[in-house]
Amino acid sequence: MKAAWIPFLLAGIAAAADVDGYLVDKACSARVIKGGQKVAATHTKDCALMDGCLPGGFGVLTADGKYLLFDKAGNKKAEEALNKSTKTDNLKVRVTGKVVGDKITVESVKLL
């Protein structure tokens, strides 16, 4: 008997990975994705923490232009990291988590 179902099972498994990029709130993500890395570098901490931006959550824009949306726990970790940081822009981060499609289940967020 062949285990034809194994590839389907393995497709749902995601290994933990480190993802580097720019921390961007979801509300600003379309503009930042369109503008690329230069625009991402100018996105500010104040903007990300604004009442209009903060509730939508966060993600990371990678060097290849992919935007990975954080899970609920990741949003909280990103907000905590921003509140502790003295950085005002150029919000480069290393996110450790499990990537599935365009989402990441965040284990840690570290501003670089």
Side-chain angles (χ1 to χ4, degrees):
M1 175 193 263
K2 288 188 175 184
W5 53 270
I6 290 177
F8 298 104
L9 176 64
L10 294 176
I13 297 173
D18 287 339
V19 178
D20 292 343
Y22 287 96
L23 182 63
V24 179
D25 57 89
K26 186 175 180 205
C28 293
S29 64
R31 175 183 60 81
V32 172
I33 292 167
K34 185 177 179 182
Q37 299 291 300
K38 283 186 178 183
V39 172
T42 66
H43 185 254
T44 67
K45 171 182 171 177
D46 288 343
C47 179
L49 294 174
M50 284 178 31
D51 290 341
C53 296
L54 184 60
F58 295 94
V60 60
L61 179 68
T62 64
D64 63 357
K66 189 172 184 180
Y67 183 74
L68 300 173
L69 193 61
F70 291 179
D71 64 337
K72 188 175 181 178
N75 291 330
K76 184 174 179 164
K77 289 174 185 173
E79 182 180 357
E80 289 170 356
L82 284 171
N83 282 322
K84 289 178 184 176
S85 177
T86 59
K87 293 185 91 173
T88 58
D89 63 1
N90 196 30
L91 304 173
K92 286 187 175 184
V93 291
R94 174 161 295 137
V95 181
T96 301
K98 294 178 183 165
V99 177
V100 178
D102 63 350
K103 294 183 172 74
I104 183 166
T105 302
V106 177
E107 294 174 13
S108 68
V109 175
K110 180 182 178 186
L111 281 158
L112 303 176

